[in-house]
Structure formats: structure tokens, C-alpha cells
Amino acid sequence: MSAEVAAGLLALRKRIDAAKIPSSKLDETINVAVWNIREFGKKRRKPAALHYIAEILGQFDLIALVELRDNLEDFGRVCHFLGPSWDLVYSDWMSDDGGNRERTGFLFDRRAVTFNGLAAEVDAPRGKAGTEYLATQSFWRAPYMCSFRSGNFDFIAIATHARWGKSTAGREAELGMLADWIDERQKDKSVEDHDLIVMGDFNTPKLDDKLFKALTRRGLQVPDSLMKLKAGDVTVGGSNLNKNARYDQILHLPTAKKRFTNFGGTLDFHVSDAGIKELFPGAGMTRTQFTYQLSDHLPIWVQIKTDIDGERLTQIVQNARKG
């Protein structure tokens, strides 16, 4: 590592400290994040950028990754910097314009999180047409679902990147389809787990517009830590560099509400255009160029409680009394 990269990491760590991310505690809490790393794998990153990306990812225990591209060489370098305890589960890519050669993945630290075995892309609902079963609408990029365990807390995580473009109606329909799919799946007797976390870049600029309402029409909720902003807290006004659009979300169903602590926010690695030169001195880098080295999205994170033994024992006692 060069002295220049080391100096950049020191500057980045000050920005990480400003995010006030609490340390996770083994078998008690995990820090979960979603990060759209702009077109990660389409064009080679600078070595410094790979160090910075690893430093940011290393603040969390489980990260949903969006815009991970078909070429995983740079991501392999990031994993090398993170160390041998880290692992990745990821989807295949779609090669058409809608799929944009993107993957979706979950990066996790095996010291805190275990992969439980379920990994699947979410298919759009199908209907029978002659001898075929066909979908009447589609996910441009299929949501990706995996099962995990931390402490004694088992859960399913779904990550996705909603369609982009000027067709708001098409995006609204896609988000509503995901909400309906989750609702139907959670009611099925064979569902893997009822504890569910839904993450991704949903291209929802505001929490009160029709796009977000479509996504949450079946009960998905934003954790309180990402909704109720108090004076002095890290603000979560937006997940873009301008901090004015909430494209990225971490959501849960009401049954999982008590799993979330009061900690959550964004990690602002950008701060300002003037601060770019702290990370890339001498490069004369514009904001647009910076976004292709790090990203045009900020990670959004929350802390989750994973020790649920007390609740299970209480439920056993309560059920016995009812009997």
C-alpha cells in the first residue's frame, strides 16, 4: 500500500466515524447495509478505490450489493483486502438492456453471519397460456433472495435493483408486483422463514410518492431508525450524493419490527466535492469521475438484534399458560 492510499484511508475513516456506526456484538447484534456500487466491474477501479470500497464494506456484517456487474475481478480484489472470513453469494447476470449485465449479491462476514442454504432469484408470477406458463409482466432484474442466520436469529434477505428510466408506471407496477409476491409467499405454509429484510435500490425518490406506496402496499415498513430523525443524529434525507433522494431502502414486515435497534443511517464517504482530492490527490477528479471510482449512492445501514432466546422462552411460557 502506498503512502498516498494510506493517507486517503485515514481521511475516509474520519468520514466513517461521522456515521456513528456502533460496533456489532457477537451473537447479539449485526450491522446490515445496502450499497449500490456504481457499475462495479464494468470499468477497472483505481487501486485506491478498491481499498476504500473494502474499508466501507468492512464496517458492516452483511451487505446487499447492487450494480455488481458480470466481471467480478475487481470485487475479488476487494474481498482479498477484507480477508478470509468474508464470503459472497451472488446472482447470475442478465445480458439485455434491462438487465444491464448486473448481478445482485450478499457479502457477509462469516464470523457474524452464516449462509443458511437458500439462494434463489424471484420469478414474476406466471399464468397458463396454452401449454406454457408465462409471466404477463417482468422484473427487469430479478430480485435475489437468500437465507441467513446470526446468533439464534434466522431470516431471509431479499435484494433488488428496480427498473430505471422514464416509465414511472412501469416501475410502479414492478414494485407493486414485488410487494404482492412477498405477501403471497409469506402466507404460504412452506415459507422458509417469516423474518424478512428487503433491501435495494428501488429508484423511489421520496417516501411519500406513489412508487414507494406501491412497494409498501402489502405492509413493508422502514425501520424507525431510518425514519425518525432527531437533532444531532446522522440524517437520512437521501441516499444519493446530494442527499435529496431516498432511492435505497432497508425494509421489513411488522413481525420483524422489534428486531431493529435505534441505530441506523447513511455512511457519507463523499461529504463534498472539495473533499474528493483527500481521497484522490492530484487526480483532478470531477464528481462524475468520483462516482465511477466509489459510487453515486451512499450505503444505508441499520443495526439488528440477533439474540432472541428471551423472546422464545417467553413465548413458550405464554403458550403453556393458554393451554
Side-chain angles (χ1 to χ4, degrees), residues 22-37:
S23 298
S24 56
K25 297 181 180 180
L26 185 63
D27 295 333
E28 293 185 21
T29 61
I30 54 173
N31 293 326
V32 175
V34 56
W35 191 14
N36 177 331
I37 308 178

Side-chain angles (χ1 to χ4, degrees), residues 108-121:
F108 57 98
D109 188 341
R110 293 192 307 273
R111 293 172 298 182
V113 178
T114 302
F115 172 55
N116 267 0
L118 172 68
E121 293 184 347

Side-chain angles (χ1 to χ4, degrees), residues 35-43 45 53 66-69 100 102 161 241 269 287-297:
W35 191 14
N36 177 331
I37 308 178
R38 189 172 195 177
E39 296 189 348
F40 193 30
K42 182 178 181 180
K43 183 179 179 181
R45 250 73 169 181
I53 289 170
V66 179
E67 285 199 25
L68 187 62
R69 298 291 292 252
N100 197 34
E102 291 181 24
H161 188 191
L241 296 196
F269 53 79
R287 176 188 282 207
T288 298
Q289 291 170 331
F290 176 81
T291 65
Y292 284 102
Q293 291 300 317
L294 289 182
S295 184
D296 54 346
H297 289 246

Side-chain angles (χ1 to χ4, degrees), residues 231-256:
D233 284 352
V234 177
T235 59
V236 197
S239 58
N240 58 335
L241 296 196
N242 287 331
K243 306 180 188 68
N244 59 2
R246 276 290 290 275
Y247 296 126
D248 307 278
Q249 309 290 345
I250 298 176
L251 304 164
H252 63 83
L253 289 173
T255 52

